[in-house]
Amino acid sequence: MQFRTTALLLLGAMALPASGAAQTAPAPPAITRTVVAATKLPSVTDVPLHFQAVSVTLQPDQNSGVSAANGILYQISGSTEVVLDGEAKMLNAGEGLFIAGGKTAALKAGSGGPSTFLHFFLASAADLDRPAESAPAAVRELYRTAAPIPDLKPGGYDLNLTRVTFPAQMPSNPPHHRSGAALYFIVSGTGANTVDGKTEARGPGSLIYEPHALVHQWGNPGNEPLTFLAFNINPEGVAAVLPGAP
């Protein structure tokens, strides 16, 4: 009898770790969002506005300058010193900076190698064809909206650039739309973008425009995380993403 009791106690002790392990199973990876740069705009209805994105490369120690529409720099590789309003800031990979329209900023590439960065603009039609960064910077336009951003309303708006990462094997999120508008740039991974029941793969370097009325979904069916930049504008005090259709 004593042997049987001892055996039962041992079996119970052996079973406990399995039960405890089941209770502490790791949660699935979460979506991460990092605001790289942000500002507030008092009005976005004075003139029709477009999204525009350019890629800029400066060779080591080269100097350039920029004086354009409201925009945000995002450093892809290398480093860039930005002097704005008498203050210097060094941008390293993954960092960004808002430059207000009409402000002049001096740019200098770091000495460790070429500097490559993206510049996202919220620009009037008159600004779209003006040079962004000055020579000797190599500037390549990546995207511009064919028509002005629709459905913008009077009042203040938030303008920001946010880096978002979806974990691997993430199912598509529920249908949703933007309270303002956004321009996406896929940094790494391949996402699944669904619009009107049609799903398309979107890989690195893809740019996707999301106006207010576009109902869409995003997922990540791949085995690697999906990371993208969202250049976003939304009414102040209103969530950037809203469920369902407008």
Side-chain angles (χ1 to χ4, degrees), residues 27-173:
I31 298 171
T32 61
R33 292 180 173 86
T34 303
V35 177
V36 177
T39 191
K40 294 186 180 295
L41 303 175
S43 175
V44 294
T45 56
D46 297 336
V47 296
L49 295 172
H50 296 251
F51 282 140
Q52 185 182 31
V54 301
S55 172
V56 183
T57 299
L58 283 169
Q59 297 304 314
D61 295 318
Q62 275 188 342
N63 293 280
S64 180
V66 60
S67 179
N70 286 320
I72 295 177
L73 297 183
Y74 181 82
Q75 191 74 30
I76 294 290
S77 61
S79 61
T80 306
E81 182 186 62
V82 183
V83 179
L84 181 64
D85 292 333
E87 295 187 6
K89 178 178 175 62
M90 182 65 77
L91 295 183
N92 296 303
E95 297 178 334
L97 181 68
F98 169 72
I99 300 178
K103 294 281 187 178
T104 298
L107 310 174
K108 182 178 180 180
S111 58
S115 166
T116 299
F117 57 89
L118 303 177
H119 201 160
F120 297 90
F121 295 104
L122 185 65
S124 69
D127 289 324
L128 288 175
D129 292 321
R130 292 177 180 169
E133 279 67 18
S134 60
V139 182
R140 179 168 61 95
E141 184 178 65
L142 302 177
Y143 186 88
R144 68 168 67 183
T145 50
I149 301 169
D151 303 311
L152 299 181
K153 301 173 178 61
Y157 270 72
D158 292 320
L159 176 69
N160 62 73
L161 184 69
T162 300
R163 185 173 57 246
V164 183
T165 297
F166 286 170
Q169 300 293 317
M170 191 192 90
S172 291
N173 49 26

Side-chain angles (χ1 to χ4, degrees), residues 143 184-195 198-210 214 216-221 225-228:
Y143 186 88
Y184 281 17
F185 177 87
I186 307 295
V187 176
S188 61
T190 300
N193 181 215
T194 303
V195 178
K198 181 181 179 182
T199 300
E200 293 186 17
R202 302 288 192 171
S206 298
L207 287 119
I208 302 95
Y209 172 45
E210 297 182 349
L214 182 73
H216 58 281
Q217 297 170 263
W218 278 98
N220 179 19
L226 167 68
T227 298
F228 59 90

